[in-house]
Amino acid sequence: RNTVNVIVCRSPGELGVRAAMLIATRSLEAMGTVFNMGVSVGATPSGTYAELRRMADTGVADMSRCDYWLLDEFFGCDAPSGRGCGAESGGSEGGPGAHVVGEVEGSGVVAKEGNTMEALRPLPHRRELDNVLLRGVDDERVHGPAGPTAAAAASAYATKMAYQVLDLVVLSVSPDGNVGWLRDPDDRNQGIHQVDMGDMPGTFSKGYRSCVTLGLSHLLAAREVVVLSIGRNKADVVADLLGERRHTVMSTLLRLHPKLTFFLDASAAYNLTNLFPMVGSQQTLRINNVNIWQEGAPPYRDETILCLSPHPDDSCISAGATLHYLAPSNHVIILIATTGHRAYIENTTKEQRIATRREEVRQEALELGVSADFLDLPLYDRGSRMDEDDVTIMEDYLRK
């Protein structure tokens, strides 16, 4: 199977922060293009979404170019004004025993459903995400199943998703090791479809009769998958999945997806000591295509990390500890934009000051365990005014 990256966090709060950091980084890496993010609902991802929202509100993360695509949505509540249907959804963590009653791709609708009052009430998963993640996000940037019936919503959503590839999708593990309301681990071509929840316990269905959900094909096609698992009640299923002892939708993703990160809190990772006896004894393990980071280990491994420093001293002053923390597991480069020769050093020439700064940076890189490069941007000698030659130098470096 493909390598699985597992990050063990000390608490649900730490998990939310670290997962949000990864998502925010991926959004930034989109470099001005739309970042298409698949979102599930439920108690597990809510902490990550709240942290991501906080980061966006405080300017730490820029999610302004993000489009959000719902994993699934509930339909078929006949109770007047929603009474009898849960105010909060059972969410994409799903429940046992659900079965497909119709698959819809493009305009081909198999399943039929009678008219209900559901078109008159807010969709529960969209409402839940509005509360925790989507506050202030324009409606045109939020996509999900919507329509007067589940069949109509599935058809419309399938048309929207026909040529769409998600950049990143956030999932959580259901109690039986599946994902949301997906139950067939072998149907890799499964598209958007409708699931009958009529016989499901109210704990999972919240009184709704059906669910429209993305298929396994959409998750496998996503460029990156982030899986979250919290709580002691998930410890058995997490150990079974990583030990390849269950055949489920999540096990298919773990086996086949080329870029998947599994975030666990300490409780969900409880049984990993039986599966991997060395867990708990060191920060980073690599066993049978499973990479495990724990107890404060860096959230990235084998990545090239670039720190852009306007002047030679900015990197160590502002990010020295972080760069030193990341350096053992990654290739970290400090990229200094300017020579630093405008600093005052008595009785020195420009060339001597440049040489001094270069030696200081060399010593800094040695101390931090990183490498360093200078861009020597011409803007430094014209009052910090950027021109095309500066842009060309930066583009040429990044393309190397």
Side-chain angles (χ1 to χ4, degrees), residues 301-321:
R301 183 186 179 91
D302 300 329
E303 300 275 2
T304 297
I305 298 174
L306 196 64
C307 174
L308 182 60
S309 180
H311 307 104
D313 58 351
D314 291 327
S315 52
C316 63
I317 293 174
S318 302

Side-chain angles (χ1 to χ4, degrees), residues 46 92 103 106 126 297 368-369:
S46 62
S92 306
E103 178 146 349
R126 171 61 193 274
L368 296 179

Side-chain angles (χ1 to χ4, degrees), residues 82-357:
R83 284 176 291 181
C85 293
E88 296 183 3
S89 71
S92 306
E93 297 185 16
H99 57 281
V100 176
V101 297
E103 178 146 349
V104 185
E105 281 293 358
S107 58
V109 179
V110 178
K112 302 293 182 181
E113 183 174 41
N115 292 328
T116 70
M117 297 177 63
E118 60 198 331
L120 303 178
R121 72 181 99 255
L123 296 169
H125 291 183
R126 171 61 193 274
R127 183 175 63 236
E128 182 175 337
L129 287 166
D130 281 345
N131 290 336
V132 71
L133 176 64
L134 303 178
R135 184 179 68 254
V137 176
D138 292 339
D139 284 342
E140 59 265 25
R141 307 213 75 132
V142 183
H143 315 277
T149 65
S155 178
Y157 202 29
T159 300
K160 239 183 175 183
M161 282 291 300
Y163 303 103
Q164 184 63 60
V165 175
L166 299 174
D167 294 300
L168 182 147
V169 59
V170 180
L171 305 173
S172 55
V173 182
S174 68
D176 58 359
N178 284 299
V179 177
W181 295 90
L182 302 180
R183 293 295 179 271
D184 189 345
D186 298 314
D187 190 355
R188 301 177 195 174
N189 297 315
Q190 183 183 54
I192 291 174
H193 58 280
Q194 185 179 336
V195 179
D196 178 16
M197 302 190 301
D199 298 328
M200 295 298 99
T203 305
F204 299 110
S205 69
K206 301 298 179 183
Y208 290 90
R209 290 186 287 106
S210 60
C211 174
V212 173
T213 178
L214 296 180
L216 179 56
S217 66
H218 299 101
L219 306 185
L220 289 170
R223 294 185 175 91
E224 185 167 4
V225 174
V226 171
V227 181
L228 313 174
S229 190
I230 291 173
R232 182 65 176 84
N233 64 321
K234 300 290 180 67
D236 288 340
V237 69
V238 165
D240 285 350
L241 289 169
L242 292 176
E244 298 183 287
R245 295 194 294 255
R246 292 201 192 197
H247 184 50
T248 65
V249 172
M250 182 56 72
S251 71
T252 297
L253 280 172
L254 289 171
R255 188 174 73 255
L256 298 179
H257 201 281
K259 193 172 185 180
L260 185 147
T261 304
F262 206 153
F263 287 88
L264 310 173
D265 76 340
S267 295
Y270 184 80
N271 288 345
L272 292 189
T273 52
N274 297 325
L275 185 62
F276 306 115
M278 296 174 68
V279 169
S281 63
Q282 52 185 299
Q283 285 190 341
T284 305
L285 297 173
R286 177 173 287 182
I287 305 173
N288 298 332
N289 288 344
V290 177
N291 295 329
I292 301 178
W293 290 268
Q294 55 184 341
E295 296 298 329
Y300 305 107
R301 183 186 179 91
D302 300 329
E303 300 275 2
T304 297
I305 298 174
L306 196 64
C307 174
L308 182 60
S309 180
H311 307 104
D313 58 351
D314 291 327
S315 52
C316 63
I317 293 174
S318 302
T322 299
L323 298 178
H324 181 63
Y325 172 65
L326 294 170
S329 304
N330 301 277
H331 179 208
V332 179
I333 305 169
I334 298 173
L335 184 59
I336 299 99
T338 60
T339 61
H341 69 78
R342 291 191 334 209
Y344 176 73
I345 305 177
E346 190 176 10
N347 297 323
T348 58
T349 65
K350 172 182 175 180
E351 289 71 23
Q352 288 172 328
R353 291 192 295 274
I354 290 175
T356 297
R357 290 292 180 251

